[in-house]
Amino acid sequence: MGRYFGTDGVRGLANVDVTAELALDLSVAAAHVLADAGAFSGHRPRAVVGRDPRASGEFLSAAVVAGLASAGVDVVDVGVLPTPGIAHLVAATGADLGVVLSASHNPVPDNGIKFFARGGHKLPDEVEDAIEGRLRETWARPTGAGVGRVTADAGAGGRYVEHLLSTLPHRLEGLKVVVDCAHGAAWSVGPEALRRAGAEVVVIGASPDGLNTNDGVGSTHLEPLQAAVLAEGADAGIAFDGDADRCLAVDAAGAVVDGDQIMGALALALADRGQLHGDTLVATVMSNLGLLLAMRSRGVQVLQTGVGDRYVLEAMREGGYSLGGEQSGHVVMLDHQTTGDGVLTALHLLARVAELGRPLADVVGVVQRLPQVLVNVKGVDRSRASSDAGVAEAVAAAEAELGTTGRVLLRPSGTEPLVRVMVEAGEVAQAEAVAARLAGVVSARLAL
């Protein structure tokens, strides 16, 4: 697999790339790295381990638990819970480490291993590098009372729901909501949280069998949710992905509500309560220009980062900001959670609807999305995308044509000979024409 850790833990085809042996070895190495860094000094180390419902998660979580316990770490196994739920439990219980077995929105054959440090934060790159560097090293194994003990915690999900409800600024009575749990990790806690918040809840995609996670349902397949919202006459629909770290929505007419619109609505809700730290929203460069224009008109700054939730989180923590996220629906509310949390996002979005007494479409209508066209230009030297004079000249001409109501972004792939050309404009035809023209220049100038 090359370097095991990517931008969001270790991920790949389960039992081929992500094997039981790798899960055990990574867990042992993580225990050793954190111990040598002083994370366990003065006390017996403890870890929280959980997973999404994929069948492969059963043997992979068993391997992680075995690896940690063999290295002298006591393990609390919380079973199937959303990734953000496990992050919260790590922080709330004072655990030294958290491990999640999930491939998020990926199809069922994939799986992944994600580590959280004390406090429920993702491991820094240098710690991940240190873990990889110590894989399969020779080590002195503890014996007798030195080995870790393993306990199951059946009440962990309930405590996570209590935490979610404690953050709610307004209850949800009067709202009828369809929730699609993607046959994933939120199949139980998602509907429970919404019901206890006061909503009338209709549930779909909540029968995980280990093989159906994300299969035609959830945030990557919104059609069943759209149909259910219309059939039920619901006020809104909510869709999670496999590990419920993201959330998308559907309004009463079946129109999709994306992460940019959700962030816009939440930013204004926080600003109204004086809780939007620095009057700033953190978003990636891929967020729609419509979000930036809407926030600017209402006195909210938008700080843009590279693509990836870890870059959003880094900027939020460095600046002390309270809200950030991605167009995909991965939204971080740092006053309440250390990572993206789909159930938390859903609760706060619906609370805004209930608070204002207006339809979801009106609440998220603060963000008018501009047409956005993305073209992948293959077979090019991505390393020259930012330095080629001809490309720069074409981009400048396009930006001049689009003016203040359009935008151009060139993003070289990190892994392939490919450059992504993204264009936003007031009209679809203009965005398509400009994107096609720029793609032609990139292809001609950077051809391998």
Side-chain angles (χ1 to χ4, degrees), residues 270-346:
L270 290 174
D272 284 352
R273 295 194 292 272
Q275 297 172 351
L276 186 66
H277 301 175
D279 290 323
T280 297
L281 167 66
V282 181
T284 76
V285 293
M286 290 302 291
S287 274
N288 194 280
L289 180 59
L291 173 64
L292 279 64
L293 296 175
M295 294 299 96
R296 188 182 304 155
S297 70
R298 289 163 175 80
V300 175
Q301 302 179 68
V302 179
L303 175 63
Q304 291 186 279
T305 74
V307 177
D309 66 282
R310 69 164 46 210
Y311 303 114
V312 171
L313 269 168
E314 285 172 5
M316 292 179 69
R317 293 175 68 180
E318 287 174 6
Y321 303 123
S322 50
L323 181 66
E326 299 182 276
Q327 196 178 59
S328 63
H330 193 282
V331 177
V332 182
M333 304 187 74
L334 209 50
D335 285 345
H336 307 304
Q337 181 58 285
T338 59
T339 188
D341 190 324
V343 184
L344 180 71
T345 300

Side-chain angles (χ1 to χ4, degrees), residues 144-233:
V147 302
R149 305 299 299 273
V150 181
T151 57
D153 185 353
R159 295 197 302 280
Y160 169 53
V161 171
E162 290 290 345
H163 163 67
L164 294 172
L165 294 174
S166 74
T167 74
L168 205 58
H170 196 285
R171 289 187 57 79
L172 310 184
E173 275 84 6
L175 293 181
K176 183 176 183 179
V177 181
V178 180
V179 56
D180 183 346
C181 300
H183 298 308
W187 73 274
S188 176
V189 296
E192 179 186 353
L194 291 166
R195 286 194 183 101
R196 290 182 57 187
E200 178 186 350
V201 180
V202 177
V203 185
I204 65 174
S207 302
D209 61 11
L211 301 176
N212 60 359
T213 301
N214 298 322
D215 186 9
V217 289
S219 63
T220 53
H221 302 279
L222 292 172
E223 297 82 4
L225 178 62
Q226 292 171 298
V229 167
L230 294 174
E232 294 286 342

